[in-house]
Amino acid sequence: MSLGEQRRILEERYPSLLEEKGEREERPRLPPLPGAVEGRVRTRFAPNPDFVIHIGNARPAILSDEYAKMYKGVLVLRFEDTDPRTKTPLREAYDLIKEDLKWLGVSWGEEYIQSLRLEIYYDVARKLIERGCAYIDTCGEEGRDLIRKGVGCPTRNNPVEWHLEELDKMLSGHYGEGEAVLRVKTRLDHPNPSVRDWVGLRIIDTVKHPHPITGSRYNVWPTYNLAVSIDDHMMGITHVLRAKEHEVNTEKQLYVYKCMEWDPPVFIHFGRLKLEGFIMSKSHIRRLLEENPDKFMGYDDPRFGTIAGLRRRGILPEAIRESIIMLGVKPGDVTLSWANLAAVNRKILDKMADRIMYVGDWVELRVDQEECMTATIPRHPERPGEARSIRVCPGDVILLNKSDARGEVRLMGLGNYRVDDGRLVYIGGGLEYARGRRLPIIQWVRKEEAVKTRILRPEGLDLVVEEGYSEAALRDYGVDSRIQLIRYGFARVDSTGAVYTLVYTHS
RNA sequence: GCCGCGGUAGUAUAGCCCGGCCCAGUAUGCGGGCCUUUCGAGCCCGUGACCCGGGUUCAAAUCCCGGCCGCGGCACCA
């Protein structure tokens, strides 16, 4: 018997059972975390501060945060800024990322910056050498070829003391970029050449490539895999949630755990997240910004899938969180469709966004009626008490959408009119008349008090600009307010002034 | 090319580990109705899917084999 059938029978015979269950709406939940113990879970979010984060990066942040909260554990925030050369960290990014995380409702209990922990990595490197698990390769460029061939630099077999001395030489600046590296020993016949004796420490000339936090103080930098395995252990991380591009890294990092006799955390890898219709890649966004400085508004342009861009678009943090939790943690790639994100967002927005009348492709009509009338319109259907009044007198000019300006219509809150040769002729009859005749109930703007309004609507890589007029009540809303333009859609106030600029969120 | 991971309605996801309760659930989209001073929200009804081919089994979305397609990795990046 299908669920539907069971339900139908229940409804027929035992309706009270269903009522008691109470179909109350719940936030989506995550599946249980393998091996998690309440109060003991420690997760981490480890961004590279070379740019702001996008919704794809936000996924591990939100999942890690959600799981930490679910099990009353701790989320650790760790900036992974150990490459001043090719992924040079951005000074501002550290704070921008923290802002985005706070906005998303992600809360962390501890915070670390890897570039401030280099001595720790040097210490463990020394221990790895002492335990025979790492060595210094001074073969330079040739060392890589040897590894690829499955042989390795001859120094691999030198005594431990030699390597310890060489490490000190590296640290004291004896070697230049590329002349010496510390490698972590693995099988030399590993099918993936990048795993074979992977590099743990390398030299980066910070005079040429200064680091935004430590300047030119250090010239030996750990690779991702060395720093991460050490930190995850020292920070007591129990569960690592990261994208599947890290699967091979997990394999590499396990060599450190094994050598140091540390218990590895539980690793969970999930597929990549794409947001339909948005540009996500950091490098792509950077390039667009450099090549078209006039076309885009910055990293927070509403056409970008950055957290800042989505925020500017009018997407709420709850909507992002909920959508990401709904997507879950499966290994395949996922595409978050805009329709879905918008639907979740709309549900939340609808309860809070005040209603404003806006007219886009307008036409001017003169009112033809006996006396002044006042429209009182609630700002929100669920809060009828909060209303604004608009007084319309004979001879006033009213703006309507061109497509609405024909036949008989009801101007919302005001009255019924007939559009007749450039005029709006009052025909009376009240709301009952309008309903009975199924007149369109439309929004309108009194020209006298109209607020010039510019709407920016992202459409793929384009930003469609539409100009129109809003009712005076728009002036009550400041930057960042979310409103609903009646019969048009939701929007976020982007700037105020003589002209109001709104970013169109979705219908 | 080599390693690894996936393929459920238009879209996204549940179920797959431990085969039957799945003629496949949910959300969104789409169509219709009710309600409502919005073409919004809410409520109700409808629509529509297990990549293909074999095999195992009384029974397969679930297990096995092959194919096709997609994604990830193959750095002194993270």
Side-chain angles (χ1 to χ4, degrees):
Chain A
M1 199 189 307
S2 75
L3 208 81
E5 284 169 315
Q6 294 181 36
R7 199 186 170 81
R8 230 166 288 135
I9 291 166
L10 273 177
E11 273 166 357
E12 277 168 27
R13 300 189 196 160
Y14 314 100
S16 60
L17 281 180
L18 285 174
E19 278 167 21
E20 276 173 19
K21 216 172 78 188
E23 308 271 306
R24 59 187 207 85
E25 190 185 312
E26 271 181 31
R27 286 178 56 211
R29 293 211 90 196
L30 251 19
L33 191 59
V37 180
E38 180 148 322
R40 304 275 278 275
V41 169
R42 289 175 64 90
T43 57
R44 44 80 152 181
F45 175 57
N48 179 338
D50 64 341
F51 202 60
V52 294
I53 51 171
H54 54 66
I55 190 166
N57 312 22
R59 177 143 91 134
I62 289 170
L63 293 176
S64 301
D65 180 56
E66 191 69 22
Y67 273 127
K69 285 174 176 153
M70 219 165 122
Y71 289 97
K72 300 186 171 45
V74 177
L75 170 71
V76 171
L77 171 64
R78 185 173 73 219
F79 288 104
E80 308 210 318
D81 54 351
T82 57
D83 178 16
R85 182 170 48 198
T86 52
K87 284 203 172 163
T88 315
L90 266 182
R91 187 81 261 240
E92 318 84 82
Y94 296 80
D95 285 335
L96 291 173
I97 289 171
K98 289 205 273 182
E99 262 174 46
D100 285 347
L101 291 175
K102 279 184 203 153
W103 180 76
L104 284 169
V106 170
S107 41
W108 57 98
E110 295 166 28
E111 184 179 329
Y112 302 93
I113 296 178
Q114 287 190 326
S115 57
L116 261 19
R117 299 167 56 79
L118 298 193
E119 309 287 352
I120 294 170
Y121 310 128
Y122 300 157
D123 273 356
V124 176
R126 213 165 268 125
K127 291 198 179 98
L128 287 170
I129 291 176
E130 284 164 3
R131 287 173 177 239
C133 304
Y135 65 98
I136 307 295
D137 168 347
T138 53
C139 292
E141 197 62 39
E142 204 186 322
R144 291 190 214 198
D145 292 339
L146 291 168
I147 297 281
R148 217 164 290 140
K149 287 185 192 130
V151 188
C153 178
T155 62
R156 194 178 199 259
N157 301 315
N158 285 1
V160 166
E161 291 68 34
W162 184 87
H163 291 113
L164 289 173
E165 275 168 34
E166 289 299 306
L167 176 60
D168 286 336
K169 276 162 82 178
M170 276 176 78
L171 292 171
S172 65
H174 180 267
Y175 289 110
E177 282 191 6
E179 290 172 0
V181 290
L182 173 129
R183 290 184 179 276
V184 174
K185 278 187 192 168
T186 71
R187 291 166 45 195
L188 273 176
D189 59 348
H190 193 284
N192 185 339
S194 88
V195 175
R196 295 178 199 157
D197 282 9
W198 54 271
V199 171
L201 293 175
R202 82 287 208 194
I203 294 163
I204 294 174
D205 182 347
T206 43
V207 173
K208 259 192 275 177
H209 309 281
H211 190 282
I213 303 264
T214 59
S216 307
R217 192 153 71 230
Y218 299 99
N219 65 331
V220 175
W221 291 84
T223 57
Y224 172 77
N225 286 303
L226 185 70
V228 165
S229 46
I230 294 170
D231 278 348
D232 281 343
H233 171 258
M234 298 193 69
M235 295 170 192
I237 305 302
T238 58
H239 297 263
V240 172
L241 295 130
R242 48 163 48 151
K244 69 176 173 187
E245 65 205 66
H246 287 296
E247 277 166 339
V248 178
N249 290 324
T250 299
E251 209 180 331
K252 294 185 188 175
Q253 290 163 212
L254 253 11
Y255 281 96
V256 176
Y257 283 91
K258 190 164 179 221
C259 178
M260 298 302 294
E261 298 171 75
W262 293 338
D263 284 333
V266 176
F267 294 97
I268 295 167
H269 299 113
F270 41 78
R272 314 247 299 183
L273 168 70
K274 276 175 292 212
L275 178 59
E276 180 191 77
F278 283 79
I279 300 161
M280 308 272 293
S281 132
K282 288 177 180 180
S283 53
H284 191 177
I285 291 176
R286 273 186 166 154
R287 202 173 64 238
L288 285 172
L289 287 174
E290 275 166 31
E291 291 172 3
N292 318 277
D294 307 328
K295 193 176 165 189
F296 296 95
M297 303 188 253
Y299 64 86
D300 61 347
D301 191 288
R303 285 165 285 185
F304 296 151
T306 55
I307 293 305
L310 293 171
R311 184 196 301 140
R312 196 162 183 186
R313 175 78 184 251
I315 299 298
L316 298 162
E318 296 83 354
I320 294 178
R321 254 191 113 92
E322 208 170 293
S323 300
I324 281 176
I325 290 169
M326 236 154 30
L327 291 176
V329 278
K330 62 164 209 161
D333 285 356
V334 295
T335 308
L336 178 55
S337 80
W338 174 244
N340 270 277
L341 214 211
V344 176
N345 200 56
R346 176 159 44 232
K347 210 166 166 183
I348 308 169
L349 219 43
D350 184 70
K351 292 192 204 93
M352 52 185 266
D354 282 355
R355 272 60 168 168
I356 293 292
M357 296 196 287
Y358 160 83
V359 171
D361 186 18
W362 73 92
V363 57
E364 299 186 1
L365 298 166
R366 197 166 287 277
V367 170
D368 185 345
Q369 63 191 29
E370 293 298 309
E371 53 195 32
C372 291
M373 298 196 300
T374 300
T376 301
I377 306 171
R379 287 177 191 263
H380 193 284
E382 282 172 25
R383 297 189 294 275
E386 300 164 36
R388 76 283 196 177
S389 296
I390 307 172
R391 194 171 163 81
V392 174
C393 292
D396 281 357
V397 174
I398 298 287
L399 271 33
L400 296 186
N401 266 338
K402 245 180 216 158
S403 54
D404 288 332
R406 57 161 178 261
E408 292 187 351
V409 294
R410 176 170 181 84
L411 303 202
M412 191 182 273
L414 188 65
N416 306 324
Y417 291 83
R418 188 177 63 246
V419 178
D420 189 3
D421 192 25
R423 292 178 309 152
L424 268 177
V425 184
Y426 182 60
I427 54 176
L431 183 58
E432 295 317 309
Y433 175 87
R435 283 208 182 128
R437 305 282 290 255
R438 294 184 163 268
L439 300 189
I441 295 165
I442 61 170
Q443 80 279 25
W444 50 280
V445 172
R446 186 168 161 258
K447 190 184 179 186
E448 186 80 7
E449 55 173 40
V451 179
K452 189 156 194 202
T453 307
R454 179 182 299 132
I455 297 181
L456 309 177
R457 192 178 32 218
E459 277 182 11
L461 264 186
D462 292 319
L463 194 65
V464 178
V465 181
E466 183 184 310
E467 303 221 324
Y469 289 94
S470 305
E471 57 170 310
L474 179 60
R475 292 203 190 282
D476 301 336
Y477 299 87
V479 170
D480 217 34
S481 305
R482 335 285 162 116
I483 53 175
Q484 187 194 114
L485 302 176
I486 291 168
R487 297 208 308 147
Y488 186 91
F490 292 91
R492 182 188 144 275
V493 178
D494 199 60
S495 74
T496 63
V499 178
Y500 264 64
T501 304
L502 310 182
V503 176
Y504 178 78
T505 307
H506 49 64
S507 61

